[in-house]
Amino acid sequence: MNVNRNTIVLAAAGVATALLFAANLFVGSVHIPFGQVVDIVLGRGAEKETWEFIVLQTRLPQAVTAAICGASLATAGLLLQTVFANPLAGPSVLGISSGAGLGVALVIMAGGALGIGGFGAEIAGALAGAGAGLAAIVLFSTRVGSSTSLLIIGLMLSYLTSAAITLLNFGASAEKAHAFMVWGLGNFSGVGLQRLPALAIPCLAGLAVATLLVKPLNAMTLGTDYARNLGINTVRTRNLLLGATGILTAATTAFCGPIAFIGLAVPHIARLLTRSAGHHRLLPATMLTGVATALLCNMACIAPGNGTVLPLNAVTPVIGAPVVIYVVINRRRINYFN
Amino acid sequence: MEHKLICANKLTIGYHSRPADRAVMSGLNFSLDGGQMACIVGANGIGKSTLLRTVIGAQPALQGSVRIRGVDVGRMHARSLSRLVSIVLTHKTMTGGLTAAEVVALGRTPHTGFWGRLTSADRRIVERSMALAGIDRKAASPMAELSDGERQKVMIAKALAQECPVMILDEPTAFLDTAGRIETMQLLHRLTRTERKAIMLTTHDVGLATRLADRLWLMTPGGMTCGVPEDLIARGALDSLTAGTSIRFDAASGTFETTPDIGAGISLHCPDATLKRLIMTALSRNDIDRAGTDIRIEAQSATSISVLTDGQRHQCTSIGRMLDCLSAQAAADGEPEDF
């Protein structure tokens, strides 16, 4: 009965995700007739060349970017919540995304003096910053046994990097401060077709690692001591999980900015859907739900319909925060973390 | 000695630290065979959990070694150890979203392949483990909906599903109610007999332990004393757990008792030992000090107790009435001085 329910849930999520993906191609800040989009997708061309360009060069890579980032951030959140046995763990709390933020801030606000700039440099800065944040947390994880302590250290690292960013902001020109602010708003549209592989390859690698670790992840739900007693190499598992999380977060943050709430909220939505904490079901459900959520947020950004595009980080909390509040309020009834 | 399932020789347990290692206890010798249950008792902080952690290989021995089937635990890979020793710990797990059967199935982890898929043989072992632990009726319930006692049974079933000859439990009765404590200990005792498990556990339930353990390992600041519980009781060894207090282990009742102090000036006469003990406990608790008077209590039965003082006889129909009578007299005696 459980298997049936699980199959139905996954199938429904799959169909919803496919529909959302298609919808992302049909909706945008520029109005393109429905039939024309169908023609373009089927390779029959369109009345206007610009429409073809918009669908194939803008909307398609943007939808693919949203899908990859959604799956990546949601999976990163799930891995962290399992490793730290904490429902409020997410990619933005371990100092990884704030490390990326610091890297980008350095490039935007201090890079000019060194002749560094541009989108490529921002990505390099984000990757370097995320890498440094990850290295710091891995270094601490070899010295600190408890996952909760590590979570607190991650939070403190985030505060330290925010302090550095604030300082950079304070000294920067209004124009540069604005540029950094815009990066911080989050955006699925900046990647484009050419750079898509650079985002997709590390993300798919991270997702593959997560998938390969399903068995140790299940054992880890019992806690480190039980997992070790079940023959799991807990140190290696934790390092691999943190590494995968770091890659997933660094890549998405580098290309799309620090996207809030998807990593934190989506695993909870997946748990509510599958009604299970078993990773055989939870991991695929989390990936699919992550894709769907990101695509939904991407569409919601153009909701005003008058050509205005809302910042992504203005939309994700609207979907994410109520989920987290719902879960916290109903914790006694839902209870998958006690 | 070497034929025993578990044995330790001149073992020192403790923590590696700088500048010098911190030994918690040294010179430990013990052994345990299949079909036996050893209960480790001792004060908080004496090193019971450190000992267990050393036996399960979670912490290295500072000196000496623990051997299971002749192999040093400290030199064993987690994978090999996972087929020899299964554990049940006190701390809560975040398994609320898993069903009881899914948690028990995690016990099969050392035996399943890369993806952790269960074969039909695995499923049979999971079902049998749940039946042995008496939790099979809750197989489909999420952990979040189970009581503490039921969760404990699930974790014991998980340990059984692991199919290890040795089971180690850290305070398995800690969060349970009275019925749960007795049930859990009886279950563990049964598993030593039917499944020939070697079970090692820590507990503060010394009374239960003396009744159900095959071996009692008594940890005191002076070291660890091992033996059959009755031998330790007969030698008065259990009193070392309460050294420095007026609490003593009472062999007859199997519990720790304070020596009842019935109060000065009172004499108690009762032919029934049980009733006498009850009245003594009641008097002791109420701190009735009637020094300078001469009160004689004669108890024929629980409903017929006489209090004799100054030639007067008060007949009481319960121990409660007897206490009321005594305190009324104490108040009456005190009155003249107040006015």
Side-chain angles (χ1 to χ4, degrees), chain B residues 109-273:
Chain B
T109 303
H111 306 274
T112 56
F114 184 83
W115 297 103
R117 290 249 167 249
L118 298 182
T119 64
S120 53
D122 288 321
R123 288 186 195 287
R124 274 198 300 280
I125 292 166
V126 168
E127 279 167 29
R128 180 168 182 276
S129 306
M130 299 196 82
L132 277 173
I135 195 70
D136 42 332
R137 277 175 299 120
K138 298 280 184 176
S141 306
M143 288 292 275
E145 290 172 14
L146 302 183
S147 70
D148 286 341
E150 288 167 336
R151 282 172 172 231
Q152 192 65 275
K153 285 183 186 170
V154 171
M155 295 319 288
I156 291 172
K158 182 233 53 142
L160 286 172
Q162 212 171 325
E163 292 196 306
C164 299
V166 181
M167 271 176 76
I168 304 248
L169 304 92
D170 194 11
E171 298 200 20
T173 56
F175 297 112
L176 307 183
D177 55 23
T178 310
R181 284 164 196 259
I182 298 171
E183 248 189 328
T184 304
M185 290 292 274
Q186 282 176 336
L187 163 64
L188 293 171
H189 172 76
R190 204 159 56 237
L191 293 175
T192 61
R193 299 306 187 262
T194 61
E195 306 295 304
R196 304 300 298 165
K197 298 283 182 197
I199 296 182
M200 193 187 286
L201 61 89
T202 58
T203 184
H204 285 294
D205 259 317
V206 182
L208 260 176
T210 54
R211 261 167 280 159
L212 290 168
D214 297 294
R215 297 283 183 278
L216 211 56
W217 296 356
L218 187 65
M219 289 180 94
T220 58
M224 190 162 88
T225 316
C226 305
V228 170
E230 289 72 19
D231 277 335
L232 296 189
I233 296 169
R235 268 191 268 149
L238 288 181
D239 290 342
S240 61
L241 286 175
T242 52
T245 68
S246 64
I247 303 163
R248 293 289 169 266
F249 190 80
D250 182 71
S253 67
T255 53
F256 283 95
E257 306 272 359
T258 48
T259 320
D261 173 14
I262 60 171
I266 297 177
S267 63
L268 174 63
H269 305 272
C270 177
D272 180 352

Side-chain angles (χ1 to χ4, degrees), chain A residues 220-242:
Chain A
M220 295 285 266
T221 55
L222 291 173
T224 320
D225 287 336
Y226 277 120
R228 193 189 304 113
N229 177 250
L230 289 169
I232 303 293
N233 184 336
T234 49
V235 175
R236 192 181 64 193
T237 301
R238 192 166 80 158
N239 288 342
L240 279 171
L241 289 172
L242 287 178

Side-chain angles (χ1 to χ4, degrees), chain A residues 128-162:
Chain A
L134 181 65
I137 209 74
V138 168
L139 194 72
F140 278 112
S141 82
T142 60
R143 300 212 42 143
V144 178
S146 137
S147 292
T148 316
S149 311
L150 201 57
L151 199 65
I152 293 168
I153 291 172
L155 270 173
M156 292 306 119
L157 290 178
S158 301
Y159 283 122
L160 284 175
T161 49
S162 319

Side-chain angles (χ1 to χ4, degrees), chain B residues 245-313:
Chain B
T245 68
S246 64
I247 303 163
R248 293 289 169 266
F249 190 80
D250 182 71
S253 67
T255 53
F256 283 95
E257 306 272 359
T258 48
T259 320
D261 173 14
I262 60 171
I266 297 177
S267 63
L268 174 63
H269 305 272
C270 177
D272 180 352
T274 311
L275 181 60
K276 185 171 184 180
R277 171 168 285 281
L278 288 174
I279 295 173
M280 282 167 77
T281 308
L283 290 171
S284 170
R285 183 178 64 242
N286 284 280
D287 299 327
I288 294 167
D289 185 358
R290 303 303 310 277
T293 61
D294 181 20
I295 298 175
R296 181 184 166 86
I297 298 172
E298 289 176 3
Q300 288 78 42
S301 73
T303 52
S304 170
I305 303 168
S306 315
V307 176
L308 294 99
T309 169
D310 299 335
Q312 285 182 296
R313 172 186 283 264

Side-chain angles (χ1 to χ4, degrees), chain A residues 2 81-82 85-86 143 211-212 214-215 218-219 221-223 225-226 228-232 275-278 280-281 334-338, chain B residues 53 58 78-79 82 85-89 91 93-98 102-103 106-107 109-110 112-116 144 151 155 158 162:
Chain A
N2 255 330
Q81 287 171 11
T82 302
N86 191 320
R143 300 212 42 143
T211 310
L212 295 175
V214 158
K215 180 178 163 176
N218 279 336
T221 55
L222 291 173
D225 287 336
Y226 277 120
R228 193 189 304 113
N229 177 250
L230 289 169
I232 303 293
R275 292 190 197 160
S276 174
H280 282 108
R281 293 171 204 170
I334 302 172
N335 258 341
Y336 36 65
F337 269 109
N338 68 355
Chain B
R53 290 180 59 77
R79 189 132 185 110
S82 69
V85 181
S86 57
I87 59 170
V88 175
L89 304 172
H91 66 67
T93 55
M94 52 166 236
T95 50
L98 295 176
E102 284 173 322
V103 171
L106 286 177
T109 303
T112 56
F114 184 83
W115 297 103
R151 282 172 172 231
M155 295 319 288
K158 182 233 53 142
Q162 212 171 325

